[in-house]
Amino acid sequence: MDRRFPFKVLEHIFSFLDVNEDRNSVSMVCKSWFETERRTRKRVFVGNCYAVSPLKVARRFPKMRSLTLKGKPHFADYNLVPDGWGGYAWPWIEAMAARRPLLEEIRLKRMVVTDECLEKIAASFRDFKSLVLTSCEGFSTDGIAAVASTCRKLRDLELRECIVDDLGGDWLTYFPETSTSLASLDFSCLDSEVKLSDLERLLSRSPNLKSLKLNRSVTLDVLASLLRRAPQLVELGTGSFSDELDPEEISKLTKALSELKQLKSLSGLWDLLPEYIPVLYSVCPRLTSLNLSYATVQMPDLIDLLSRCSKLQKLWVMDLIEDKGLKTVALCCKELRELRVFPSGADLDETDVTLTEQGLVSVSEGCQKLESVLYFCVQFTNAALVSIAKNRPNFRCFRLCVMEPFAPDYRTQQPLDEGFKAIVERCKDLRRLSVSGLLTDKAFEYIGVHAKKLRMLSIAFAGDSDLMLHHLLSGCERLKKLEIRDCPFGDTALLENAAKLETMRSLWMSSCFVSFGACKQLSQKMPRLNVEVIDEHPPKTRPDSSPVERIYIYRTVAGPRQDTPEFVWTIHKNPEVGVSRLSIR
Amino acid sequence: MENSNSYSPYSSSSVDSTKPSPSESSVNLSLSLTFPSTSSQRETSQDWPPIKPRLRDTLKSLCLRQRRYNTALFVKVYMEGVPIGRKLDLSTFSGYESLLENLSHMFDTSVICGNRDRKHHVLTYQDKDGDWMMVGDIPWDMFLETVRRLKITRPERC
């Protein structure tokens, strides 16, 4: 008797699986499950574009409708990866264009995307709906124009923090007059001006537009007119908020904003002037997300705004909020789930900005639902960390950046080991952690022992020795991404824990003590890892003991990549060194 | 432990003796003391603290920064009739008087503001709108914000 489920039944069951992790598990059960799963997967996610070949992915998932790719390592966001390293979208676009013409959505993060790529997308996918580029570079507004003009069903066009060769605002005119499908438009990272009339016309004919993020060049005096044409907006990113308005204009803007009955998310607000804060009062009570990263408003003006945002779930703000402002948040924003506080640099000017560890303690006390934090602060204490951990054991993401490297607890002069110990002990669901301040190997021993669900860990200026890395690699079972800069160790721990690296997506180490010899050894020992040595200024001769500037190690089934620039060394460039078993499929 | 910026990042007892010590290595290890802990170094460091480029650029142009008192403001200075110009750091002057004094010295002639005079060179400047204006009409602070370059005109010219 055939005990297997009929294919159709299995297929139906799998159609309920949304989460790719589940799908990955399911596909490892047996061959028929693998086959069934792959034939039903619509949304494909590839966390490292070099881990697998585009051809393989295209062939494996015939029903693919959405492709998400990530390219450069995370530290590329902070200028630690030299230009030209890689992460090219082209091979993927080319492969999908040839084999998966029904693809509707492409989401790329930290990749190099050229105008050629964008033109290929426009030309190849007739039902193309959604293009989301995050932290990408390499293209110009001409490429955007190509997508806008050719993709008739375009629904989302989002350029999030990309570096674009901005040739002017003409690209906006390329949306056909007949297109009405636009639901999301984000051009906040572009510099040049778009024509008001073009934008107004586009808004007027886009009844489905739910998310609009303008760039800084859109001045305040035209905002009211734009908003009147898009009262259905759920997400708004304004342009500049500092231009001079006369009372009548202010009144019109206030009214236009109050008409946005569905508005939940507000961002942009460049250089927000305190006198314009009342204009925003009408939207505050409904807001679930507020991004004040570019709003240079200081205290006490911020209180007027924040005290009205009782439904706020996500708040991004500069340290101008100070401890006082965070106290208000703790009192008024009881729904808060995510908080990010960025450094304005005001402390460098000796302007009086008092943001200390106390601010985060207040929020952790008052906001029961808080689960994700990114906090930049000049210095910290163990006591504060212990309080925070006690108050909020539900943290999933805890990123603390103590900006003074090697800064100890400023009250006790001790390392921050005990503080982070409290965090990892109490927050059992912690997925992502960034540590900073003065830390010894002990801190990492605690992390290795307690942070069992940790997936991503970022470390800078910490530790004493190889033990640090050893604790992490042998302890953190679920660790997928580890990025380390300026820590004093390398070789021994790396070589001892080489096998662990195959269970991770990637490991990045820069300005540590990793020797060239260790890199060679690791490459020879682990053929399924790509070990990249990235040295912008390589020495003329490389003795085995010489330290490397950066090392990037990632698992791959695609073998060595063919597009490495000169400054990236891999063992495959030195065939005489020898590799024990090359597996290229 | 003393609270100073010169923390050694590792205790000597746990350092592997076969590792290159900072003095031996050929690569500048940005560990320890060369690290941007002083404020001016932190300002110029491009990779610490870890914030994205766009935010970093925005912060540079923040209104609340009182940068004009801390940074140099170099402008080109030309004397009419002389093809090769000079460069001058305006932030080193306290006001118009010291600027004129210095220019007079630099070009070995007498330079003044305002009223044309057959004997003296008159100082003009190009503002951020591109217009050429007479130096001395607006307050010094305002002048610093708008000046783009300087020109010393020949006598009898303006």
Side-chain angles (χ1 to χ4, degrees):
Chain A
M1 182 171 102
D2 190 339
R3 287 178 173 275
R4 286 175 298 177
F5 265 141
F7 171 76
K8 282 288 169 206
V9 175
L10 214 50
E11 198 179 41
H12 181 71
I13 296 173
F14 288 177
S15 68
F16 291 102
L17 292 173
D18 289 327
V19 177
N20 275 353
E21 258 188 45
D22 294 337
R23 282 183 165 269
N24 291 343
S25 307
V26 143
S27 61
M28 290 198 290
V29 167
C30 64
K31 198 141 193 255
S32 71
W33 280 40
F34 177 89
E35 285 299 312
T36 312
E37 190 284 314
R38 78 174 185 87
R39 276 197 253 271
T40 57
R41 193 184 300 207
K42 294 217 175 93
R43 308 185 64 87
V44 175
F45 171 83
V46 178
N48 175 1
C49 64
Y50 290 120
V52 62
S53 82
L55 190 55
K56 225 175 173 192
V57 175
R59 284 202 189 127
R60 181 172 167 187
F61 301 109
K63 286 266 166 62
M64 189 195 317
R65 293 288 176 270
S66 163
L67 176 64
T68 302
L69 291 173
K70 294 190 182 180
K72 299 187 208 174
H74 173 239
F75 271 178
D77 281 350
Y78 314 127
N79 292 328
L80 287 173
V81 178
D83 282 338
W85 171 83
Y88 304 105
W90 177 256
W92 288 87
I93 310 287
E94 198 186 22
M96 298 308 148
R99 286 166 191 82
R100 299 283 155 245
L102 295 180
L103 196 60
E104 294 176 356
E105 175 178 78
I106 293 178
R107 306 173 76 98
L108 305 176
K109 189 167 187 179
R110 276 182 230 112
M111 295 194 75
V112 177
V113 180
T114 57
D115 283 348
E116 214 185 1
C117 292
L118 296 175
E119 284 152 19
K120 186 87 170 158
I121 291 175
S124 317
F125 305 109
R126 61 147 211 262
D127 287 336
F128 197 71
K129 295 197 171 67
S130 175
L131 181 66
V132 178
L133 303 178
T134 307
S135 302
C136 293
E137 51 168 359
F139 59 102
S140 77
T141 42
D142 284 351
I144 305 299
V147 172
S149 66
T150 321
C151 302
R152 301 269 136 182
K153 299 191 186 171
L154 195 64
R155 193 187 60 204
D156 311 313
L157 178 58
E158 295 179 27
L159 309 174
R160 302 179 185 173
E161 296 175 314
C162 294
I163 299 179
V164 184
D165 184 10
D166 195 335
L167 304 171
D170 274 349
W171 61 272
L172 194 65
T173 62
Y174 282 80
F175 283 102
E177 291 290 331
T178 49
S179 83
T180 56
S181 50
L182 209 56
S184 167
L185 178 63
D186 179 349
F187 60 97
S188 53
C189 64
L190 298 181
D191 289 318
S192 60
E193 273 185 51
V194 295
K195 252 174 52 194
L196 176 65
S197 51
D198 293 333
L199 192 47
E200 282 176 340
R201 273 205 307 278
L202 180 61
L203 296 185
S204 298
R205 65 174 189 275
S206 303
N208 298 314
L209 192 70
K210 292 282 189 290
S211 172
L212 176 64
K213 300 199 178 154
L214 307 167
N215 67 356
R216 195 178 188 172
S217 317
V218 175
T219 50
L220 196 53
D221 51 325
V222 308
L223 187 58
S225 153
L226 293 172
L227 295 182
R228 279 194 289 273
R229 288 168 170 75
Q232 74 284 2
L233 282 180
V234 175
E235 291 181 350
L236 171 64
T238 72
S240 153
F241 230 89
S242 61
D243 314 293
E244 300 229 357
L245 294 185
D246 61 47
E248 201 195 320
E249 286 173 310
I250 295 181
S251 149
K252 284 197 175 142
L253 179 57
T254 310
K255 179 156 196 298
L257 279 163
S258 68
E259 295 296 311
L260 302 178
K261 303 287 185 210
Q262 323 246 30
L263 196 70
K264 293 229 168 63
S265 162
L266 186 60
S267 58
L269 303 170
W270 271 282
D271 304 317
L272 174 62
L273 291 178
E275 50 261 43
Y276 293 149
I277 290 183
V279 158
L280 302 172
Y281 285 168
S282 59
V283 300
C284 289
R286 290 187 287 270
L287 282 186
T288 56
S289 167
L290 179 58
N291 184 349
L292 295 168
S293 310
Y294 302 115
T296 49
V297 185
Q298 294 178 267
M299 291 297 283
D301 303 307
L302 272 176
I303 291 193
D304 298 326
L305 195 56
L306 295 169
S307 56
R308 290 173 159 80
C309 298
S310 55
K311 293 225 177 97
L312 209 56
Q313 294 178 17
K314 175 169 134 174
L315 175 63
W316 291 18
V317 70
M318 286 209 266
D319 58 7
L320 306 170
I321 193 175
E322 299 185 54
D323 289 345
K324 293 180 263 168
L326 287 174
K327 246 206 158 109
T328 307
V329 170
L331 278 172
C332 305
C333 308
K334 293 300 188 190
E335 298 295 312
L336 197 69
R337 284 156 172 68
E338 178 181 328
L339 174 68
R340 293 195 190 187
V341 180
F342 297 105
S344 62
D347 60 302
L348 298 174
D349 286 330
E350 285 138 28
T351 315
D352 208 11
V353 166
T354 340
L355 181 91
T356 70
E357 75 280 4
Q358 197 44 51
L360 187 53
V361 173
S362 312
V363 180
S364 70
E365 267 167 10
C367 303
Q368 312 267 339
K369 301 191 183 174
L370 188 67
E371 54 179 33
S372 172
V373 155
L374 169 59
Y375 200 78
F376 284 84
C377 193
V378 179
Q379 42 189 18
F380 228 78
T381 63
N382 280 311
L385 281 169
V386 170
S387 288
I388 291 165
K390 277 211 180 100
N391 294 333
R392 280 294 55 78
N394 44 322
F395 273 126
R396 288 169 69 99
C397 169
F398 188 80
R399 296 161 72 189
L400 175 64
C401 181
V402 173
M403 292 192 283
E404 200 61 49
F406 311 122
D409 176 326
Y410 70 88
R411 288 199 198 278
T412 64
Q413 302 312 316
Q414 293 301 304
L416 291 178
D417 297 346
E418 296 303 312
F420 280 106
K421 177 188 185 198
I423 296 280
V424 293
E425 254 184 339
R426 296 230 170 206
C427 305
K428 307 235 181 282
D429 269 334
L430 199 62
R431 302 278 159 119
R432 185 167 177 184
L433 177 65
S434 298
V435 297
S436 50
L438 183 67
L439 295 167
T440 70
D441 288 344
K442 263 237 157 282
F444 300 97
E445 186 188 332
Y446 298 143
I447 296 175
V449 165
H450 295 286
K452 290 308 183 191
K453 293 218 176 136
L454 196 65
R455 308 238 170 145
M456 182 170 177
L457 178 60
S458 310
I459 306 170
F461 308 104
D464 300 323
S465 72
D466 277 59
L467 264 184
M468 166 192 165
L469 187 58
H470 178 72
H471 287 313
L472 295 173
L473 293 179
S474 56
C476 300
E477 287 150 10
R478 297 281 189 96
L479 195 61
K480 287 277 168 290
K481 287 192 283 184
L482 180 56
E483 47 186 23
I484 303 175
R485 60 165 291 182
D486 295 90
C487 295
F489 62 74
D491 297 356
T492 324
L494 259 186
L495 291 169
E496 266 173 21
N497 293 283
K500 169 79 176 177
L501 298 175
E502 268 190 11
T503 69
M504 292 167 56
R505 186 187 295 170
S506 65
L507 167 63
W508 168 277
M509 287 171 65
S510 54
S511 305
C512 298
F513 284 139
V514 179
S515 71
F516 187 58
C519 297
K520 282 196 286 191
Q521 265 187 286
L522 191 61
S523 309
Q524 285 166 305
K525 198 172 163 185
M526 311 291 300
R528 283 193 300 220
L529 297 178
N530 272 359
V531 176
E532 296 189 7
V533 173
I534 305 167
D535 268 343
E536 270 184 300
H537 311 287
K540 293 222 162 47
T541 52
R542 267 205 219 255
D544 280 3
S545 61
S546 65
V548 302
E549 280 173 30
R550 307 170 188 81
I551 179 172
Y552 184 48
I553 304 166
Y554 52 91
R555 66 178 173 186
T556 178
V557 294
R561 59 176 174 118
Q562 306 301 322
D563 58 3
T564 49
E566 257 188 46
F567 58 80
V568 171
W569 175 94
T570 66
I571 198 144
H572 310 280
K573 290 187 177 179
N574 280 42
E576 73 275 8
V577 173
V579 181
S580 58
R581 193 171 42 96
L582 265 180
S583 67
I584 304 170
R585 272 175 257 161
Chain B
M1 282 192 221
E2 22 161 335
N3 183 18
S4 74
N5 287 334
S6 57
Y7 266 112
S8 171
Y10 41 90
S11 55
S12 50
S13 54
S14 51
V15 165
D16 184 347
S17 58
T18 60
K19 275 202 285 249
S21 68
S23 55
E24 282 171 14
S25 71
S26 52
V27 172
N28 171 39
L29 298 166
S30 57
L31 274 185
S32 73
L33 325 173
T34 56
F35 176 66
S37 51
T38 64
S39 57
S40 59
Q41 282 170 309
R42 207 206 301 168
E43 280 177 4
T44 49
S45 165
Q46 284 301 300
D47 55 53
W48 188 262
I51 51 179
K52 295 191 185 166
R54 188 148 279 267
L55 188 60
R56 192 180 291 279
D57 289 341
T58 306
L59 295 179
K60 281 195 191 136
S61 63
L62 273 194
C63 317
L64 62 83
R65 299 276 214 105
Q66 310 287 311
R67 311 267 359 228
R68 35 181 187 270
Y69 302 114
N70 297 335
T71 49
L73 183 58
F74 277 99
V75 296
K76 292 183 188 168
V77 189
Y78 284 92
M79 166 94 98
E80 244 187 336
V82 180
I84 309 287
R86 303 292 301 269
K87 257 208 163 156
L88 207 57
D89 180 0
L90 294 181
S91 68
T92 60
F93 303 116
S94 51
Y96 290 121
E97 261 181 40
S98 54
L99 171 63
L100 289 173
E101 201 175 49
N102 196 288
L103 281 175
S104 302
H105 224 85
M106 206 184 235
F107 289 87
D108 204 17
T109 180
S110 122
V111 185
I112 59 159
C113 288
N115 291 321
R116 294 131 234 182
D117 190 317
R118 309 236 150 173
K119 282 178 279 181
H120 302 289
H121 290 76
V122 177
L123 187 59
T124 62
Y125 72 102
Q126 189 181 38
D127 70 5
K128 65 179 184 219
D129 295 327
D131 301 322
W132 285 96
M133 315 288 284
M134 200 75 93
V135 165
D137 290 333
I138 54 176
W140 177 249
D141 285 356
M142 215 185 269
F143 170 69
L144 285 182
E145 283 189 328
T146 189
V147 64
R148 289 295 167 261
R149 50 197 350 206
L150 295 172
K151 187 161 71 184
I152 303 171
T153 62
R154 273 204 267 263
E156 298 171 291
R157 248 313 201 91
C158 314

